[in-house]
């Protein structure tokens, strides 16, 4: 169920589409990496997580761990599920900080009740609408996924699932099965009037119903919409205004190495050269 920064072309089940060559090409594409990071950031923003503590999150369709990289950089712990062995192999090679599980989420989420503080998914849930085998029933697979997801999430938590619906019928099918499983919430659409920037986020609540967040770029006045888009882009680039270290800076590298040490992983010793910028080669 590999996530992607682009709209997937359905050429068969995801475990076959994302073979070793496709998995590596996808992970090394700088544009895909950038989009994946942006959508992961937006999904985490919609989760509304507490800022005073790290959370344990589930990443559905984690692929090669690009969205997990963002979760780790934000200080959270995560477990990723994916149906593609090739994608997970790349994640292992990249030494992502989350735990990985090879599984078809259409069979359900195999964790204990109330285990996760939230769930994100980037470009994966629409795969469940495909009947890739004779035994596959999209409504049943979607219900199995959503009902078990509801169980493993803590009360008061959220799931934010970014997806690319092929049509309105598919969108209604996904939403209906989520509500049938007990979730409340709805669809948040960012930049609904833009062909390229338009993104769908299914924002689901466990337990007490919360207020559905507004989509970006939905203001009536053109000036307000442009200001909102500009502000969002600036927030993405200057995340250190929240008090976090700038990505790739010395502090950011030291924090990441310390997290790996706490996880029992081997890490190179810190020196005065750690995080030093190198001169460009001409």
């Amino acid at each position: 169920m590999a996530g992607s920064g682009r709209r997937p072309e359905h050429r068969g089940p995801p475990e076959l589409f994302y073979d070793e060559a496709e998995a590596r090409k996808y992970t090394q594409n700088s544009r895909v990496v950038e989009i994946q990071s942006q959508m992961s950031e937006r999904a985490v923003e919609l989760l509304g997580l507490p800022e005073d503590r790290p959370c344990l999150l589930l990443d559905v369709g984690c692929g090669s761990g690009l969205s997990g990289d963002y979760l780790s950089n934000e200080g959270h712990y995560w477990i990723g599920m994916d149906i593609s062995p090739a994608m997970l192999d790349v994640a292992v090679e990249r030494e992502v900080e989350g735990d990985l599980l090879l599984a078809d989420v259409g069979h359900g989420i195999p964790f204990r009740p109330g285990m996760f503080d939230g769930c994100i998914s980037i470009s994966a849930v629409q795969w469940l609408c495909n009947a890739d085998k004779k035994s596959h029933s999209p409504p049943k697979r979607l219900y199995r996924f959503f009902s078990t997801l509801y169980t493993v999430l803590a009360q008061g938590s959220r799931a934010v699932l970014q997806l690319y619906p092929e049509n309105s019928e598919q969108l209604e099918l996904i939403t209906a099965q989520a509500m049938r499983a007990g979730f409340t919430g709805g669809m948040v659409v960012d930049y609904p009037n833009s062909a390229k920037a338009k993104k769908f986020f299914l924002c689901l609540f466990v337990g007490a119903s919360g207020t559905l967040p507004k989509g970006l770029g939905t203001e009536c006045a053109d000036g307000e919409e442009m200001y909102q888009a500009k502000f969002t882009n600036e927030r993405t680039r200057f995340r250190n205004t929240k008090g976090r270290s700038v990505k790739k800076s010395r502090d950011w590298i030291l924090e990441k190495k310390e997290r790996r040490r706490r996880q029992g992983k081997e890490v190179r010793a810190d020196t005065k050269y750690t995080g030093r910028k190198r001169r460009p080669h001409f």
Side-chain angles (χ1 to χ4, degrees), residues 65-260:
L66 296 180
S67 50
D69 287 344
Y70 178 78
L71 299 179
S72 296
N73 292 339
E74 291 295 292
H76 300 300
Y77 302 100
W78 58 278
I79 297 175
M81 297 179 63
D82 204 281
I83 197 174
S84 169
M87 278 293 202
L88 294 180
D89 285 345
V90 174
V92 171
E93 290 177 10
R94 296 179 60 246
E95 297 184 343
V96 298
E97 296 185 20
D99 293 319
L100 305 170
L101 176 64
L102 176 65
D104 179 357
V105 297
H107 294 162
I109 310 295
F111 296 103
R112 62 179 174 79
M115 178 171 170
F116 295 98
D117 300 307
C119 168
I120 70 165
S121 178
I122 307 299
S123 314
V125 175
Q126 70 276 344
W127 289 101
L128 291 173
C129 295
N130 293 352
D132 297 316
K133 300 178 182 178
K134 289 184 178 180
S135 60
H136 282 183
S137 166
K140 290 182 180 180
R141 284 169 58 77
L142 282 164
Y143 178 71
R144 178 66 178 166
F145 164 63
F146 282 118
S147 59
T148 53
L149 177 62
Y150 186 93
T151 300
V152 303
L153 290 174
Q155 285 294 308
S157 63
R158 299 181 184 182
V160 176
L161 317 174
Q162 185 275 327
L163 64 153
Y164 288 112
E166 291 186 350
N167 48 52
S168 58
E169 289 78 12
Q170 193 176 88
L171 198 59
E172 290 174 8
L173 173 63
I174 294 172
T175 305
Q177 297 306 314
M179 301 307 160
R180 182 185 166 208
F183 286 106
T184 56
M187 194 67 65
V188 175
V189 184
D190 285 353
Y191 308 107
N193 299 318
S194 171
K196 291 186 177 181
K198 187 176 183 179
K199 293 292 184 296
F200 292 87
F201 293 87
L202 183 58
C203 190
L204 304 173
F205 304 108
V206 180
S209 179
T211 302
L212 197 65
K214 290 184 178 180
L216 300 178
T218 57
E219 300 292 342
C220 295
D222 291 341
E224 293 179 357
E225 180 174 333
M226 290 175 62
Y227 174 79
Q228 189 175 28
K230 180 180 179 182
F231 175 80
T232 302
N233 289 336
E234 288 180 349
R235 181 184 58 76
T236 301
R237 293 176 56 197
F238 303 110
R239 275 177 28 235
N240 57 326
T241 58
K242 292 183 179 180
R244 302 186 181 99
S245 301
V246 178
K247 190 172 183 179
K248 303 299 183 182
S249 68
R250 177 179 169 84
D251 289 341
W252 180 86
I253 293 172
L254 292 174
E255 289 168 5
K256 185 171 183 178
K257 291 174 71 174
E258 183 59 31
R259 284 200 304 272
R260 285 178 170 259

